[in-house]
Amino acid sequence: MTKPISKRTVLNFDLSPEDIALTVDEMIAESRAILDQVAAEANPTFNNVIVPLATRENTQNADYSVISFLQNVSTKQEIRDASTKGEEKLNAFEIEMIMREDVYKAVRAVYDNPAELAALGPEDRRLLGKIEQGYRYNGLALSVEKRKRLIQISKRLSDLGIKFNSNINKSTGRVLFTRKDLDGLVDDYFEGRKTEVVDGVEKYVVTTKSPDMSPVMQTAKNEQTRKILLTLNKQLCPENIALMQETIALRTEAAQLLEFKTHAEFKLSKVGKTPKEVMNFEHDMQTRLQLLAKTEFKKLEKLKQAENKAAGVPYEGLYLWDHRYYSTLLKEHEHSISEDEVKQYFPVKEVMRGILDIVQKIFSLRFTKVENPPVWHDDVDMYEVWEATSDDFVGHFYLDLYPRENKYNHAAVWPIRAGYDREDGTREYPVAAMVANFSKPTGATPALLTHGNVITLLHELGHVFHEMCSVTKWAKFHGTNMERDFVEAPSQMLENWGWEPSVLRKFSVHYKTGEPIPEDLVKRLVAAKNKGSGLSNLGQVFYGLYDMAIHDTADGKVDAKAIYNKLREGITMFKNGDIDSWGMATFGHMMGGYDTGYYGYLWSQVFSADMFASRFFKEGIDNPKTGLDYRREILLPGGSRDASVSLEKFLGRKPNNTAFLESIGLKLD
């Protein structure tokens, strides 16, 4: 792989398995030489110990990211396999390196030197502290015997995480339904859809990928159809059950080797919190949300009871496969909102154009689409980012928006390259990739987004622009490399624009007629914003409490599957029914870095609502001055200072939950 050498260097994704293997070996050899040199320093200083370690992270972060990223997007099995093997090898090496006592002694010598500390600026001092903490939290203060065991555990945990997520990427469920089974789906759902003839009957192929599954769960009138598809989805990856069970046990053992009671206590100590604080937050939110959710639940019950009575079927309760269907029906009844009607006004190209125009204005940026870009698939678009008022380059990003076989199944952003200051004083610029699974164009119909898709797009682009607008000295602190319980705030903050009528009008045009979205439809859409917010946010509480239930355990002997099903039914109120399911087996967050951190989705929502209401809503949602303040105080620092400091500087005060509670329809005490 070619190393980045100039400000507009484009990364190379066209790698063979041999290229990947060679790059991995080169990275390991280079890293080992750097660490050997650091360990051999007779007079450890910040410049001869910390700078080489951090510079290694600067220069290698893009190579590592490209190698590990390809397993999620490549169409070639051999590339995905090489990517997985390369990541496993690199992770195993990193685990060995972080356990090197000789290197830690050099780091600690700098850390314990008052003269060295006094000479450092804020970001350098933070860098030293984080590197020292990284070694200490990986057991360098332990006995040799305990360190050996911790190395074994760390390597196994790395392998388990990679395998778990690889299984998810490979696991698309597939089922056949007749047109009658799919009654309620609009005609364009069937356009271009694969069919098979079974016993003389034509049936449609439906998968568990979002563009297939979401419309069925929202609009299929046949309850059995919804149940079959949801069951299929919740029974994917049975092999992941054992992987998660082993992971939980190993995480607990590792935490206790480091003299913490539980894995949750260990992880939360890194952000200055305790399991009790998180549990109190989740339970407080649960109590508040239940006030809304119970009222919402009763409305959904009435809809199902009426349908069942009309069909002569006894009412037995609301099940998991009923939630989205009756929620959609309720919006139609109370606000005359049809998802099919709405998406006619959200063609992907117009939405993307409109969002990028708005972001350019707010953040004073300029985007240029790259023609014939060097990308990993023809569906992928690439954009350069520039300052709006100068010729200063900012970075570039990729958009990979449509589903395909063996691609990552959900929506996420990969920070492919962190920005940082090079040793020669020039700047390396960031690269990010957004991966999603929106509906593809079919025949004469362009790719259309539901309003929910628009919110998802805004959320993920919030991560992209966090990466683009961050400017830090060290890659370790760039963009989303920050506290896990704040990292979602910038992405959630951008979601607010998807509910502003003036914003919606800028990119909502009928894909056939070119007519703008009707004012009445915009009003109905915005009026329905909080419909179901109690139940949907209780879903977030469920995930957060599940995370704590499996990780705040002193023995690691929990039944991850049973706890998942019990908590889901108890918190969300929808029955599991008679199906045997294991939804936790595709809960990738638990194996992808969000362990003991899922509470952060709700926690950071409090911050994002406060930022939007207190600054943007008051000062103008497209106010460039506010946007530049936001760039400077929230996005630019990344993790180079505490998120609480950034937040208070932008707000001009400490944050509170008033705006968040109001935003979801909850009355204040």
Side-chain angles (χ1 to χ4, degrees), residues 50 90 121 126 129 219 287 294 351 397 402 450 519 617 653:
I50 304 304
L90 286 170
R126 188 176 181 87
T219 60
T287 299
K294 287 177 180 178
V351 172
F397 63 90
Y402 306 115
T450 65
E519 288 293 320
F617 190 74
R653 58 166 172 77

Side-chain angles (χ1 to χ4, degrees), residues 107-124:
V107 170
R108 188 72 201 198
V110 180
Y111 185 78
D112 290 335
N113 187 331
E116 285 288 322
L117 285 173
L120 301 178
E123 187 172 341
D124 286 347

Side-chain angles (χ1 to χ4, degrees), residues 17 28-29 68 98-99 112 149 182 435 475 512 519 527-528 652:
I28 289 174
S68 59
I98 199 68
M99 301 295 277
D112 290 335
R149 176 57 185 155
L182 296 169
V435 177
K512 285 184 178 178
E519 288 293 320

